[in-house]
Amino acid sequence: MTPSTHSLAKSSLAYAKLTATPTDTAWSQVYNAGNLFACLSLTLKEPQENPTTLQNLGKELFNNLEAEFFTLEEKNRQTITDAITKSAKHVPDTVIINFCLAYVKDTILYLFLQGQGRVIMKRGDKTGVLLEKKDHDISTELLTASGYLHNNDTIIIASQEFTATVPDTYIQEALELELPNDIAESLSIHMHKHADGAQAAIIIAYHGASPAPHPEPKEATLADIAAEETEAYTDTFDEEQKESLPNQLGERAHDLFSKITNLFYRQTRHIRPHLNHRKKLFLSVTLIILFLLVISIVFTKQKQQATQDAALFASIYDPALKKYDEGKALLTLNADTSREDLLEAERLLKEGQNKFSEGSKEAQQIAELLAKVQASLGGNDQLTNTIETTKITVDKSSLLGLEKATSDGAGFSQNDENVYYVTRTTAFAVSKSTGEQSELIENDDNWEQAVAIVPYQSNFYILDQKDGVIKFVPSGDSYSSSDYFTSAPNLSKAVSMAIDSSIWILFSDGTIKKYTRGEEDAFTIKELNKPLAQPTKIYTDPDITTVYILDNGNSRIVQLTNDGKFQKEYVSGVIKQAKNFEVLESEGKIRVLSGGDIWELSL
């Protein structure tokens, strides 16, 4: 049960967490990063001899969520829905997932529910259910809802197991308390009576202005003045000026009042001589009301901007601080996990540091935390490049575009003219210029478990986990085949292959072997700060002197010299789920296919 408070300009979000003790078949967790709150429970459908580690699945889900959510350019119901769906793709069918999220944007509450669960709100003296799916509802559709928050609203996001255990009467009684921590304490007594590890809930209290309709100016000319002044005021306002806000507002109010007064006298000069005292008083009161209206517009605009800035800052700084704290705590216990957390904190801060004006309070805080993170990483920033990612679209006949659209192919590779891939029955070539696909080589019992096909000069090489490396040489209108190895090594764990003047083979355990003319060369990786973990792709070619490895387990692409010396690593959250990548050294870019999207990174 953990209480916390997060400020949003003049509004705030306080929350408290409730999670049950995990069991062999059930695990739950609640999560907060900035204005994003989540409640997750994972349950095995039936006992297993070697059960899936639910805690690892849950941690990976939250890591995926951070990578997907915090890279969204625009956060709305559709984009957040897509991010949630992608984040949970790795959860196997043997596990029941109940995942409920809330995101607060200004005064708007967005809700999302995958699986079963419930969202309850208390407003004033009324309590109701905003979103719910019970265990008898077998639909797989992700439910969403949104609406405005009012001051002192209290929201409970709970897993289905929690609501099934804790009766509504107890929830109703607990909501009579004001503080989330007190509500959590009251409910925890009933929750812990049942040994169900899937029970989880998070209580959120909102304190801030309730939504109000924006006033519309009566006169177009006065509205133009107000819009002009508001825009000018917004453009020149920053964090340092907040301290002197009353004085600045007074100066601008004086200027604005003068403009409106001049406009008023210009428009009424032909009727003023005919006005009696009562009418003059009425016009003066009208003028004052219009002046106050304009001032309220200025205040409203500035409050909205400050709220947006605070929410953006929280979405960057809070998750980074959390990762930094976790990394520091694990420094002496688990060096690899500690480094992962610190690198993720570094990525978040680097991607967010240019989103605030130089010298602003937010920029300074981000810079200070980034310095702490890099100091904890040991000052190796010159070798570690936490890269900002940009989602892009590519031609359908390009390497990654074709792999994205092809479900039954493996071992995608390319040369200047074509993209190549292999299936169980055929190796195909697809023209980059026309998109036309042709059958290259038919499988005449040549391969059984092919994982890569690579062109080299006029020949082709297919890496098969059972039969080794098969070399195909042009022979008339077809290709003749032969074994590359005279005595094939064990390639059952081989996952990828690349060719320059030698053949490079990558294994799932992180081993890399280099062969020339069928004989193994001496090759070791030197000066790599941490070993490869679950790598999936290797790339090099005759035109470059470097070797790149897609190291999914460490969310990075590693760059080596062709004699094995570590040069640099490129770290990004999108790399963890990447299927393939493409290096464009001449353009200084790397492209990655991950989560059904293509991302571009800078070398």
Side-chain angles (χ1 to χ4, degrees), residues 118-130:
R118 177 191 274 185
V119 181
I120 302 167
M121 173 183 277
K122 180 176 186 293
R123 175 172 291 173
D125 57 355
K126 295 182 180 180
T127 302
V129 176
L130 299 181

Side-chain angles (χ1 to χ4, degrees), residues 43 68 160 167 169 192 206 208 234 365 428 444-445 476 499 554:
T43 308
E68 294 289 342
Q160 189 269 342
T169 53
H192 291 302
Y206 170 79
T234 302
Q365 286 183 264
F428 291 96
D444 188 15
D445 293 329
I499 302 177
N554 293 312

Side-chain angles (χ1 to χ4, degrees), residues 226-239 241 248 252 298 301-302 305 309 357:
E228 176 188 344
E229 288 298 308
T230 301
E231 182 179 358
Y233 190 57
T234 302
D235 291 342
T236 58
F237 188 80
D238 60 32
E239 283 294 328
Q241 292 173 309
Q248 292 183 48
R252 285 196 173 270
V298 172
K301 289 287 185 181
Q302 295 318 304
Q305 186 62 45
D309 288 346
S357 59

Side-chain angles (χ1 to χ4, degrees), residues 316-331:
I316 297 166
Y317 190 87
D318 289 1
L321 180 60
K322 178 183 176 184
K323 286 293 181 183
Y324 170 69
D325 289 339
E326 290 175 353
K328 290 283 286 183
L330 292 170
L331 199 57

Side-chain angles (χ1 to χ4, degrees), residues 148-164:
Y148 284 101
L149 287 168
H150 288 202
N151 186 37
N152 294 325
D153 280 350
T154 302
I155 305 104
I156 298 181
I157 302 172
S159 66
Q160 189 269 342
E161 294 81 4
F162 178 90
T163 54

Side-chain angles (χ1 to χ4, degrees), residues 295-509:
I295 294 299
S296 70
I297 293 172
V298 172
F299 263 126
T300 300
K301 289 287 185 181
Q302 295 318 304
K303 182 178 179 181
Q304 290 175 347
Q305 186 62 45
T307 300
Q308 291 172 3
D309 288 346
L312 176 61
F313 176 74
S315 71
I316 297 166
Y317 190 87
D318 289 1
L321 180 60
K322 178 183 176 184
K323 286 293 181 183
Y324 170 69
D325 289 339
E326 290 175 353
K328 290 283 286 183
L330 292 170
L331 199 57
T332 57
L333 300 175
N334 189 326
D336 286 346
T337 304
S338 170
R339 183 172 176 79
E340 282 184 17
D341 289 336
L342 292 172
L343 286 172
E344 179 63 12
E346 183 187 45
R347 180 189 71 81
L348 291 168
L349 293 168
K350 282 190 171 182
E351 290 182 358
Q353 64 184 351
N354 295 324
K355 295 181 180 179
F356 301 94
S357 59
E358 187 176 353
S360 66
K361 182 179 178 182
E362 293 93 344
Q364 290 174 358
Q365 286 183 264
I366 287 175
E368 289 170 2
L369 182 57
L370 181 58
K372 292 180 181 179
V373 171
Q374 291 178 342
S376 298
L377 283 168
N380 286 329
D381 187 49
Q382 71 279 10
L383 299 178
T384 300
N385 186 11
T386 305
I387 38 184
E388 187 171 352
T389 58
T390 304
K391 190 183 296 186
I392 63 169
T393 57
V394 298
D395 191 277
K396 291 183 179 179
S397 57
S398 67
L399 173 70
L400 301 183
L402 184 65
E403 183 166 1
K404 177 183 176 181
T406 306
S407 59
D408 61 344
F412 288 78
S413 63
Q414 64 180 336
N415 56 21
D416 292 340
E417 294 81 26
N418 299 310
V419 176
Y420 304 95
Y421 69 94
V422 62
T423 68
R424 293 178 60 187
T425 60
T426 312
F428 291 96
V430 179
S431 170
K432 290 183 177 181
S433 58
T434 65
E436 182 180 350
Q437 178 172 286
S438 58
E439 294 185 0
L440 188 68
I441 304 166
E442 289 189 5
N443 184 9
D444 188 15
D445 293 329
N446 295 115
W447 64 83
E448 291 187 35
Q449 299 172 5
V451 294
I453 177 171
V454 180
Y456 181 70
Q457 297 178 350
S458 59
N459 303 327
F460 291 91
Y461 295 77
I462 290 180
L463 170 61
D464 186 85
Q465 291 178 325
K466 185 174 182 180
D467 295 327
V469 174
I470 305 105
K471 179 180 179 180
F472 292 87
V473 179
S475 177
D477 295 333
S478 60
Y479 290 85
S480 60
S481 65
S482 62
D483 292 332
Y484 174 73
F485 297 108
T486 54
S487 178
N490 183 356
L491 300 179
S492 60
K493 294 183 179 180
V495 293
S496 182
M497 177 174 66
I499 302 177
D500 48 18
S501 58
S502 302
I503 287 182
W504 301 74
I505 297 179
L506 174 68
F507 295 80
S508 59
D509 62 1

